[in-house]
Amino acid sequence: MKLDNAIVLVTGANRGLGLEFARQALAAGASKVYAGARDPASVTLPGVVPVRLDVNDPAQVDAAAAACRDATLVVNNAGIATMGGLLDPASIDALRAMFDTNVSGLLRVSQAFAPVLARNGGGAFLNVLSVASWISTPGLGAYAATKSAAWSVTNGLRIALQGQGTQVLGLHVGFIDTDLTRGIDLPKLAPADVVAKAYAALEDGAKEVLIDELSQRVRQGLAADPGIYLDSVARES
């Protein structure tokens, strides 16, 4: 799918990676960019159309699908992460909250916008996943569980939407330098580099894009014996 003249909706577009997705869509020639955010007033990027969108609110998702009925690309970027071990007492509540946003929210938006994309020629979903779809770490076990589920949902959507010609691109990446990873003392990627590679893959018609060396190494290691997912994986600096 080409970005030139596309009509793009980005969820969680008021900051971080979502903001960069919106910015680069405009720069690439998108004719319109809807910037979804729980508080539209927090969207300050010139040239975009702010849209009230909490992916956990079915009424807001339906309203967004009605308001953005000309969309041809949906970037499912909205997500949350809570640090903590799986054996921490708070992990169940944290898992539930992250699952609501990272998995159910992604699916809810996809269900609402699949008919929109179908009416507009097929279009595409670009789903922001993670290297955590495949591996876990001591402090992000619950988050990794939600990203594994989001990867599975993405693969299921790709199959379900083949008939209407909708491209579904899953983006896997390690740590990105955004508010989401504040406090994590590890090398991080620049959001601009991540988005540029993701959009290039989208325009090439890809189904999956592995942004960094870590994601590529882990993906290859899934088939190893023993599998790379059987232990914590550290990013090489």
Side-chain angles (χ1 to χ4, degrees):
M1 175 179 178
K2 303 302 179 185
L3 283 168
D4 188 41
N5 291 320
I7 300 176
V8 184
L9 167 70
V10 181
T11 68
N14 58 321
R15 59 179 181 155
L17 195 65
L19 176 60
E20 189 61 30
F21 270 114
R23 180 183 292 116
Q24 289 197 32
L26 288 173
S31 60
K32 186 188 298 183
V33 176
Y34 295 108
R38 282 176 289 186
D39 178 9
S42 66
V43 176
T44 58
L45 178 65
V48 302
V49 180
V51 175
R52 184 178 301 279
L53 181 54
D54 181 345
V55 301
N56 292 322
D57 186 327
Q60 287 190 21
V61 172
D62 289 343
C68 309
R69 57 186 177 275
D70 51 353
T72 59
L73 169 62
V74 175
V75 180
N76 277 312
N77 165 76
I80 60 174
T82 301
M83 294 288 293
L86 285 173
L87 299 181
D88 293 347
S91 66
I92 296 295
D93 289 339
L95 176 63
R96 184 179 295 112
M98 286 187 284
F99 201 95
D100 285 347
T101 298
N102 299 349
V103 185
S104 299
L106 181 152
L107 180 56
R108 185 176 292 112
V109 170
S110 300
Q111 288 178 338
F113 276 89
V116 174
L117 297 183
R119 289 194 299 269
N120 295 328
F125 286 107
L126 195 168
N127 292 351
V128 177
L129 305 173
S130 172
V131 69
S133 304
W134 302 320
I135 56 171
S136 189
T137 57
L140 289 171
Y143 173 76
T146 68
K147 285 301 183 178
S148 292
W151 178 45
S152 184
V153 168
T154 296
N155 293 334
L157 286 170
R158 187 180 299 111
I159 295 168
L161 295 172
Q162 283 178 347
Q164 69 177 47
T166 297
Q167 179 185 357
V168 178
L169 173 62
L171 183 164
H172 295 274
V173 65
F175 293 118
I176 307 169
D177 191 10
T178 66
D179 289 346
L180 197 68
T181 62
R182 184 179 298 165
I184 297 177
D185 187 20
L186 287 170
K188 301 171 187 176
L189 302 170
D193 293 338
V194 174
V195 172
K197 291 180 180 179
Y199 277 152
L202 181 77
E203 294 203 327
D204 284 343
K207 297 179 180 180
E208 194 165 68
V209 56
L210 314 182
I211 297 294
D212 56 347
E213 181 275 338
L214 175 60
S215 297
Q216 294 163 15
R217 179 165 59 94
V218 169
R219 180 66 178 83
Q220 292 172 353
L222 293 178
D225 186 13
I228 197 170
Y229 51 86
L230 295 176
D231 203 351
S232 181
V233 177
R235 173 172 174 171
E236 295 175 353
S237 59

